[in-house]
C-alpha cells in the first residue's frame, strides 16, 4: 500500500511548494506541478528532483507529473502580535530571509502602517519602488528578498497619519503588486486587532498566521487576543514564536531570563496550537538588524533558530496549500 503522507513529506523537501494534489490511483502516484516562472532547465531539474524523492519514498511505484504554468497567486502568511515591541518585524524579515535561503520563493510586505521598519531591516532605505500603471514592482532587499513597505510610500521620517480607508487602499497596493514568481508573501502586520487589521484580512485572507510573543505574562495575554482575532476571522494559526527568550551575557556567558522563559511554549500547549520555536535575546540580533543585515543570513545559533522556524512554517504551508486552493 502506498503511504501518501510519506510521499508528501518527501516531495515537500524538494518541490519548493510547487507540487499539489498528490494522490494514488490504479497503482500509480500522480501530482500537479506548477512550473510558472521556470525555464526549460528549471522545469526539468524540478521534475527530476520530484521523481528521485518519490522513488525513495515509494520504490517501484509509477509517477505521473502534470505540469501547469498558471499565473501564480502568492499565499499570504501573516506575522502578528497583540501589541508592539515584541520583535514582530524582526521575525518577519528573518523568516522571509530564512525561507529564501532554504530555496523558497518568498517575499515580504511591510503592512505595519504606523511603524514601518523593513526598509532598515532589509538594508534598502530611501529606495522607492518602480511602478507600471497602478501596480508596483517590489524592491530587492538583503538576502534577495523582494519586498514592499509602507515606509516607501511616505518621506523618510514623516509620520503616516492616515485614516482607515486610505491605509487600507495603500495596503492593497502593496499586496496587489507585480510579485513575479513569488509564491509566499510574509506580511508584517500592524500590532493590535483593530479595523485596519480586520480590513486587510477580509480583503486579502492569509493562508495562516504566525503569532509572536515574548515570554512574559503581559505579552502572552495580548498574543492570546491576537489568536482569538484570527480565529474569529477564520484564519488558521500556524503557530506561536517566543522571542527574546534568554539573554546570554557576552562577557561571562551566563544565561539570564529578563522576560522569563517558556511562557509562550506553555501557552501554545494550553491553547492547542503548534510552538514554532524561540529566538534568544542576543545583542547580535540588534546590531545586525540596525545595519540592515538580517541575522538569518549568517551562521550560528540565532540563524539556526530562524531557519528552524522557517522550516516549520514552510512545512505547514505545503500541507495546507492544496486545501486552500
Amino acid at each position: 500500500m502506498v503511504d501518501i503522507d510519506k510521499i508528501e513529506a518527501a516531495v515537500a523537501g524538494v518541490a519548493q511548494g510547487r507540487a499539489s494534489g498528490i494522490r494514488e490511483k490504479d497503482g500509480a502516484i500522480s501530482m500537479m506541478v506548477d512550473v510558472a516562472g521556470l525555464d526549460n532547465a528549471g522545469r526539468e531539474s524540478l521534475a527530476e528532483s520530484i521523481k528521485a524523492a518519490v522513488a525513495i519514498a515509494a520504490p517501484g511505484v509509477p509517477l505521473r507529473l502534470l505540469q501547469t504554468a498558471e499565473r501564480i497567486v502568492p499565499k499570504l502568511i501573516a506575522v502578528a502580535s497583540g501589541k508592539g515591541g515584541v520583535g514582530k518585524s524582526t521575525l518577519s524579515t528573518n523568516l522571509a530571509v530564512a525561507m529564501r535561503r532554504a530555496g523558497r520563493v518568498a517575499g515580504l510586505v511591510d503592512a505595519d502602517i504606523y511603524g514601518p521598519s523593513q526598509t532598515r531591516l532589509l538594508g534598502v532605505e530611501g529606495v522607492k519602488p518602480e511602478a507600471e500603471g497602478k501596480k508596483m514592482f517590489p524592491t530587492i532587499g538583503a538576502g534577495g528578498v523582494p519586498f514592499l513597505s509602507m515606509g516607501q510610500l511616505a518621506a523618510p521620517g514623516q509620520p503616516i497619519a492616515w485614516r482607515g480607508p486610505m491605509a487600507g487602499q495603500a495596503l492593497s497596493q502593496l499586496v496587489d503588486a507585480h510579485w513575479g514568481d513569488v509564491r509566499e508573501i510574509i506580511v508584517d502586520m500592524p500590532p493590535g486587532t483593530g479595523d485596519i487589521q480586520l480590513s486587510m484580512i477580509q480583503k486579502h485572507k492569509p493562508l495562516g498566521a504566525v503569532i509572536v510573543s515574548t515570554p512574559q505574562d503581559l505579552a502572552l495575554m495580548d498574543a492570546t487576543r491576537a489568536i482569538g482575532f484570527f480565529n474569529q476571522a477564520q484564519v488558521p494559526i500556524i503557530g506561536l514564536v517566543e522571542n527574546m527568550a534568554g539573554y546570554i551575557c557576552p562577557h561571562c556567558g551566563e544565561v539570564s531570563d529578563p522576560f522569563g522563559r517558556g511562557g509562550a511554549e506553555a501557552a501554545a500547549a494550553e491553547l492547542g496550537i503548534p510552538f514554532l520555536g524561540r529566538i534568544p535575546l542576543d545583542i547580535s540580533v540588534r546590531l545586525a538588524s540596525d545595519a540592515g543585515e538580517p541575522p538569518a543570513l549568517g551562521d550560528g545559533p540565532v540563524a539556526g533558530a530562524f531557519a528552524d522556524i522557517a522550516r516549520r512554517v514552510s512545512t505547514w504551508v505545503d500541507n495546507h496549500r492544496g486545501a486552500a486552493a
Side-chain angles (χ1 to χ4, degrees), residues 242-294:
E242 184 173 89
N243 196 25
M244 307 181 197
Y247 172 70
I248 302 175
C249 176
H251 304 293
C252 68
E254 183 179 348
V255 178
S256 60
D257 298 294
F259 298 114
R261 181 178 176 85
E265 185 172 9
E270 183 178 342
L271 294 167
I273 62 175
F275 179 68
L276 298 176
R278 53 174 54 89
I279 306 297
L281 181 62
D282 193 313
I283 193 171
S284 67
V285 176
R286 197 272 295 173
L287 293 174
S289 298
D290 284 349
E293 301 169 355

Side-chain angles (χ1 to χ4, degrees), residues 2 9-10 18 30 36 56 117 140 152-153 158 173 175 177-178 181 188 209 217 236 243 247 261 270 296 306 321:
V2 175
R18 290 178 176 269
S30 65
I56 294 173
S117 54
I140 304 300
Q152 295 174 298
L153 306 183
Q158 176 185 338
Q173 282 186 292
V175 175
H178 289 291
D181 63 348
D188 180 8
D217 290 344
N243 196 25
Y247 172 70
R261 181 178 176 85
E270 183 178 342
F306 284 122
R321 182 184 294 277

